[in-house]
Amino acid sequence: MERQRKISKREAIIEAAIGLFSQKGYHNTRMEEIAQAAGAGKGTIYEYFASKTELFSEILLTGWRKIQEDIPLQEPGVTPVLEQLHRLIHGHLRYFQENRQLTRVSFCEVDTIDQELMEWALKVKGEKEKQVRAMIETGIERGELRTDIDVDIVSRMVCALIPYFASHIVMNDVEIDTHHLAVQISTTILEGIKN
Amino acid sequence: MERQRKISKREAIIEAAIGLFSQKGYHNTRMEEIAQAAGAGKGTIYEYFASKTELFSEILLTGWRKIQEDIPLQEPGVTPVLEQLHRLIHGHLRYFQENRQLTRVSFCEVDTIDQELMEWALKVKGEKEKQVRAMIETGIERGELRTDIDVDIVSRMVCALIPYFASHIVMNDVEIDTHHLAVQISTTILEGIKN
Amino acid sequence: MERQRKISKREAIIEAAIGLFSQKGYHNTRMEEIAQAAGAGKGTIYEYFASKTELFSEILLTGWRKIQEDIPLQEPGVTPVLEQLHRLIHGHLRYFQENRQLTRVSFCEVDTIDQELMEWALKVKGEKEKQVRAMIETGIERGELRTDIDVDIVSRMVCALIPYFASHIVMNDVEIDTHHLAVQISTTILEGIKN
Amino acid sequence: MERQRKISKREAIIEAAIGLFSQKGYHNTRMEEIAQAAGAGKGTIYEYFASKTELFSEILLTGWRKIQEDIPLQEPGVTPVLEQLHRLIHGHLRYFQENRQLTRVSFCEVDTIDQELMEWALKVKGEKEKQVRAMIETGIERGELRTDIDVDIVSRMVCALIPYFASHIVMNDVEIDTHHLAVQISTTILEGIKN
DNA sequence: TATGAATGAGCATTCATTCAT
DNA sequence: GATGAATGAATGCTCATTCAT
């Protein structure tokens, strides 16, 4: 067997699950379908995952970890806020565009599968917001941003835009210039649109 | 029997369904529970709704119609864009806050219940975006907004913010000053945050 | 209201029930359909019939009574057996052809609706057989028929032919010359087919 | 475990279904009862049969196939018609008597379960009639039978007698000498009953 | 007498999960 | 580890029947 072909059963199952969950949703995907798509037996899934819910959670967690790895935090000391904001937005959009299926899975249903999962999702969202808030606050401290803005609201605004545009990309299955989009968004927030 | 107490069975079922769907999600709510909560028999639901899916659709459609009625379009001729933007955002946020459960139902799961429903939701979203874009374009024509902005992206930005903050309100079950929030959001977009 | 138009509700229900039972079978016909077809309310049926089963029984009983009335017994003294046999067969076939729907209802499902009904049907069948047996026996006594025949089996043979051809008529919805058919059948039994 | 005892789950389900359908009829038999009687879980039935209807169809088809195998066609060249007729009738009666339950299932309800099934039953009946007609025609050609008989009607008469007597056997649950009965029937048809 | 809104027992079917091989 | 036959709890939906009007 060649290197590339050698995928662990576990990997295969996760891949299959992402594909099917993304396409048909959690509740419309049967464990048997996942097993088939993964070229495994139905029982094999349970060798690696305790339940359907856990398989789903595992996928979300993995996805989230990959985001953390792929989008490195800026060293806040040097980079100007505009640049930081741009990188944050661009990093996320690119990641989501490159992981369409996983993104689709993550954006839907998280709330309805499991109470625990929902709380976890809220926590993740909260952390992102904290990260952005820190960025904004630094900007204010360094005099790059106005002092009269509502930090809380502005941070959330930034956080609102990323999933919305990401959702647009993956749901309508379009391919866009994420760099350009990120520039437009960050500039607009910074500069406003008033004449 | 008093006037107010006299609720049609159909109303009662819808109310019960909204409450349960909102609390436990579509898939975790059994028809029997809805019937019980509505003080009706299981079969009675099927007197009014052909299926669980249709009951869900009916709820979403009703909610959407109410939004259309509650948030009147501005007469674009007179009102300045800042004011229009504020009214749009405020109207939605207030509606969502006042219809928490319905909102919660509408924001989750729409995508996973039914293909048809999903397409309908995308259409509704598209219409909202069109409405906002028209508003922005008018602002540019009237010289209230800069001419170098990307109308498409800016409109979407506005559309992104409303559900995000609405979602925050209903998911965390907090009570906020929607007027203040709307002012902050619209001002920020208009003015930017750059010093 | 004209005479002919004035049909009692009860009649209307029975007519509707015969039509639907005949077309779709007992189990596939809903009480509501019958009510609609009869131009009555669902509850009205229960004014006249205690249950679906009883409505069905009533129909069968009525049909059976009509057969008894329509096909008068022969005065055994005079008529030759060939003639008697012919009249019996012809009478039944004509009746069944003229009451296609009722016949269709009677021939199917009687067995599966109700234990009681099934036993009743067996009794009716037994009576017919007895009647035919008496006819055959008279024929033997009068020297019209051979003495070495098995009266029991021959009677049953006659009884077998009537419903089979009747069933053919109503199931395939064809119109046939019942007189000719009856002649053929009775002659064949009498004469045999051997060269 | 002994050989004989080792019955596949599928066999067990079919056996159980035949027994129950035969006893209580299709509509009065619940899938759960079949499962219990087969010593299987409710879901197991669906491993082998897509639906209740299909389980029923499968049973009928199997029964029909077994008849075809058990009652070999005569080589028309040699055997005299009387013998052929006798063998045909006897073969069927014996088969039906030996498969009482299956016969009971086959004779009732076929018409009311399913449109498709009903058409199939009509087709099967038609084929039998064709087979008998060929037999009669051969008899005429060979000079064994009279030339003035109505082939069509005579064939149908033969076909009418088999299920009638079979039905008598299985419905009243009696044990008879099928050989004797077949002799009587075929002789009667051949010879007639006239003195 | 006539009605039809309301009911709930009853049932076919699904699918996550188990476990013997 | 890997498998898939077997399972049965869970649930959407039907429809005969009731009863207040």
Side-chain angles (χ1 to χ4, degrees), chain D residues 23-48:
Chain D
Q23 200 183 100
K24 321 173 44 165
Y26 178 85
H27 284 102
N28 296 316
T29 301
R30 301 202 307 289
M31 291 300 262
E32 191 163 22
E33 288 179 286
I34 297 173
Q36 270 178 350
K42 221 186 318 180
T44 309
I45 301 180
Y46 290 88
E47 291 288 321
Y48 298 101

Side-chain angles (χ1 to χ4, degrees), chain C:
Chain C
M1 310 272 168
E2 305 166 56
R3 254 292 157 95
Q4 305 301 45
R5 292 224 157 183
K6 184 65 191 173
I7 311 172
S8 82
K9 221 80 181 172
R10 195 173 187 282
E11 280 313 306
I13 290 167
I14 287 189
E15 283 311 305
I18 290 177
L20 287 162
F21 285 154
S22 149
Q23 200 182 98
K24 322 173 42 167
Y26 178 84
H27 283 101
N28 296 317
T29 301
R30 297 202 309 288
M31 291 298 262
E32 191 163 22
E33 290 179 285
I34 296 173
Q36 268 180 349
K42 222 185 316 181
T44 309
I45 300 180
Y46 289 88
E47 292 292 322
Y48 299 102
F49 307 94
S51 67
K52 193 184 180 184
T53 305
E54 198 169 275
L55 169 58
F56 187 73
S57 301
E58 183 71 24
I59 287 172
L60 290 191
L61 286 168
T62 306
W64 173 244
R65 267 189 235 108
K66 279 206 285 182
I67 286 191
Q68 301 294 63
E69 291 161 15
D70 281 30
I71 308 164
L73 278 173
Q74 334 297 326
E75 328 85 78
V78 267
T79 336
V81 171
L82 173 61
E83 183 61 21
Q84 280 187 44
L85 200 56
H86 167 73
R87 282 192 197 161
L88 181 89
I89 296 173
H90 181 225
H92 280 87
L93 290 179
R94 195 181 50 192
Y95 175 85
F96 290 137
Q97 179 157 271
E98 281 167 5
N99 297 275
R100 305 186 107 83
Q101 292 186 317
L102 185 57
T103 301
R104 226 176 279 145
V105 176
S106 306
F107 281 12
C108 310
E109 325 197 73
V110 180
D111 308 329
T112 59
I113 307 303
D114 192 44
Q115 184 64 25
E116 202 184 350
L117 210 54
M118 183 180 144
E119 280 160 12
W120 170 82
L122 281 175
K123 212 191 74 195
V124 167
K125 215 178 86 178
E127 280 169 15
K128 272 286 168 218
E129 282 174 359
K130 236 181 256 171
Q131 190 184 328
V132 175
R133 178 186 286 117
M135 189 182 293
I136 304 288
E137 278 166 348
T138 309
I140 294 175
E141 284 166 22
R142 292 204 305 232
E144 292 180 39
L145 302 184
R146 297 216 307 271
T147 54
D148 63 336
I149 61 175
D150 185 322
V151 181
D152 206 53
I153 291 177
V154 170
S155 320
R156 285 175 208 268
M157 282 174 69
V158 173
C159 290
L161 299 171
I162 296 170
Y164 187 86
F165 283 96
S167 175
H168 173 73
I169 293 169
V170 301
M171 291 307 178
N172 299 31
D173 220 354
V174 293
E175 189 88 22
I176 64 155
D177 179 347
T178 53
H179 178 76
H180 172 74
L181 178 56
V183 167
Q184 292 291 324
I185 293 174
S186 41
T187 309
T188 300
I189 290 178
L190 267 282
E191 311 270 8
I193 56 177
K194 207 173 189 173
N195 204 9

Side-chain angles (χ1 to χ4, degrees), chain A residues 24-37:
Chain A
K24 321 173 45 166
Y26 178 84
H27 282 101
N28 296 317
T29 301
R30 297 202 309 289
M31 291 298 263
E32 190 163 22
E33 290 179 285
I34 296 173
Q36 268 180 350

Side-chain angles (χ1 to χ4, degrees), chain D residues 4 10 15 22 24 27 36 45 74 101 122 126 134 173 187-188 193:
Chain D
Q4 305 302 42
R10 195 174 188 280
E15 284 312 306
S22 150
K24 321 173 44 165
H27 284 102
Q36 270 178 350
I45 301 180
Q74 335 295 327
Q101 293 187 314
L122 280 175
D173 219 353
T187 309
T188 301
I193 57 178

